[in-house]
Amino acid sequence: MSQAGNGHRSAAEKRILSFARRRFGPEAEVELLAGDASNRCFFRVRLRGLSPLVAMVHPEPFVLDELPWFLHARFLDGIGASVPAVVGSYPGEGILLVQDLGDDTLMRALESAGPSERLELYRQAVLVIAGLQKEGLRALPPEIPAARTALDAERLLFELRFFHEHYVESLLGAPLAGAAAARLDEWYPELAATVAGFPATLCHRDFHSRNLMVRAGRIYMVDFQDARMGPWLYDLASLLRDSYVDLPEPLVTGMFDLFLGEVEPPRGAAGGGGAVSRESALAEFDLTSLQRNIKAIGTFASQAVLRGKRDYLRFIPRTLAHVLSNLARRGPESIRAIFESLPPPPAA
């Protein structure tokens, strides 16, 4: 981690320790937790005689009713979704206290899960996505951020170009000749427009195995502050073409079919309302996965290049394999050849 990153976390740790001891007594202790790619820090606050809490420490004070995480947590809880409960808020100090769900992400739980347990966890996760698209979309109030932001063509194109800037240009050192770089630049708007043209629904937007917690056999969502409208298969692509875990293809196929059986595709899916063929849905899934995985590589590269978080580099090879597989199925061949020509990413 960079010196700036270490300094940020050290300052946050001093803040939360001082806060905890003022609020809960001198015996309170704090423990730094693994965070996400945001500028927030997360700490477990241990209190004598009480269950631990998780503190989300923001770099600055916030207005509670303008904080996307809080607004989305309140909405999701209202529709019966499993999310951590808000225990206390201290906006002037930039601190939100929430229920501690433990350390078992889905990614970690899979390390010891047998086949039947793994199947059940993914079944639950798919049903969570289905719930967002049914109860969530139906109840979505127009004033919260998820209803007012979207993974539209402009945003999807930004993410593809972000990948090019931080992965191809910065991390790999700009290995492409002029013609290949120009071809990619021509293709990015085509892919963005195609995926943005798929029917939109409510999306978590980062629905993968590190943002799902497992507690007493139940799946909980976290890191949902960026929820928004987006392509109807986007969350499923995030889950089943995950950058963090290897999934056997029969499980992917089974969960894809489970999802199609649970969700009525949004009006306009595959060119019209009503039933959508499995083959049409599979094509949309592959193309959505393609955009999503390219975006993820850009994020990993930027975390390494800009913030010194080189641990993210270890997730690039798996994600790149997803990209190449989808390009093999959905083309264009010229784009696949360009991706195959790129040098391997550096080690973490």
Side-chain angles (χ1 to χ4, degrees), residues 182-204:
R183 176 68 183 104
L184 274 184
D185 193 58
E186 176 186 74
W187 177 70
Y188 292 145
E190 296 172 6
L191 179 61
T194 297
V195 176
F198 299 151
T201 189
L202 177 61
C203 296
H204 175 286

Side-chain angles (χ1 to χ4, degrees), residues 300-337:
F300 299 148
S302 72
Q303 289 293 312
V305 171
L306 300 180
R307 302 179 70 178
K309 296 183 177 182
R310 294 188 63 84
D311 184 60
Y312 281 97
L313 295 178
R314 66 190 174 103
F315 303 120
I316 292 179
R318 179 185 292 110
T319 315
L320 189 57
H322 290 324
V323 169
L324 293 173
S325 294
N326 278 310
L327 283 171
R329 285 190 291 270
R330 305 296 169 186
E333 179 59 35
S334 61
I335 299 300
R336 181 187 177 193

Side-chain angles (χ1 to χ4, degrees), residues 32-292:
L32 178 66
L33 300 176
D36 52 22
S38 74
N39 59 0
R40 299 172 299 175
C41 293
F42 295 81
F43 296 88
R44 176 169 287 124
V45 180
R46 299 188 183 278
L47 310 170
R48 172 172 283 191
L50 297 173
S51 297
L53 301 172
V54 168
M56 297 170 52
V57 182
H58 297 74
E60 297 176 348
F62 55 78
V63 176
L64 185 62
D65 283 332
E66 295 177 1
L67 191 67
W69 190 96
F70 174 75
L71 295 173
H72 291 158
R74 185 169 61 186
F75 163 70
L76 292 168
D77 181 67
I79 64 169
S82 296
V83 296
V86 176
V87 177
S89 61
Y90 304 87
E93 298 183 75
I95 294 171
L96 199 62
L97 295 179
V98 303
Q99 177 187 10
D100 185 358
L101 297 174
D103 296 316
D104 284 340
T105 62
L106 175 59
M107 177 184 172
R108 178 176 290 185
L110 292 172
E111 294 173 0
S112 58
S116 60
E117 184 182 359
R118 181 178 61 187
L119 192 64
E120 171 58 20
L121 289 171
Y122 272 91
R123 187 191 70 83
Q124 281 192 48
V126 167
L127 295 180
V128 170
I129 300 173
L132 285 178
Q133 296 201 12
K134 292 187 287 188
E135 289 82 5
L137 186 61
R138 186 163 47 242
L140 187 64
E143 67 273 11
I144 71 170
R148 295 184 281 106
T149 52
L151 287 166
D152 55 16
E154 181 180 2
R155 181 65 199 182
L156 296 177
L157 178 57
F158 169 83
E159 292 177 346
L160 295 171
R161 288 184 169 153
F162 188 88
F163 154 83
H164 196 93
E165 176 185 357
H166 294 287
Y167 183 67
V168 179
E169 300 289 334
S170 295
L171 191 65
L172 297 185
L176 297 178
R183 176 68 183 104
L184 274 184
D185 193 58
E186 176 186 74
W187 177 70
Y188 292 145
E190 296 172 6
L191 179 61
T194 297
V195 176
F198 299 151
T201 189
L202 177 61
C203 296
H204 175 286
R205 204 261 183 166
D206 232 0
F207 198 90
H208 56 68
S209 60
R210 286 176 38 139
N211 282 338
L212 299 173
M213 306 299 297
V214 180
R215 185 169 184 259
R218 185 178 179 185
I219 292 280
Y220 287 75
M221 287 184 286
V222 297
D223 204 22
F224 40 72
Q225 67 277 351
D226 288 331
R228 62 191 63 200
M229 300 298 291
W232 70 295
L233 292 165
Y234 192 89
D235 282 347
L236 194 69
S238 302
L239 178 70
L240 300 182
R241 298 299 184 203
D242 196 338
S243 295
Y244 303 108
V245 295
D246 293 313
L247 296 180
E249 203 60 27
L251 184 145
V252 173
T253 300
M255 292 301 106
F256 179 81
D257 289 336
L258 171 64
F259 179 78
L260 290 189
E262 289 290 329
V263 171
E264 181 180 346
R267 186 166 180 81
V276 57
S277 74
R278 183 180 185 279
E279 288 308 308
S280 294
L282 189 57
E284 294 189 7
F285 173 76
D286 287 344
L287 290 168
T288 303
S289 299
L290 180 58
Q291 192 282 335
R292 163 74 191 179

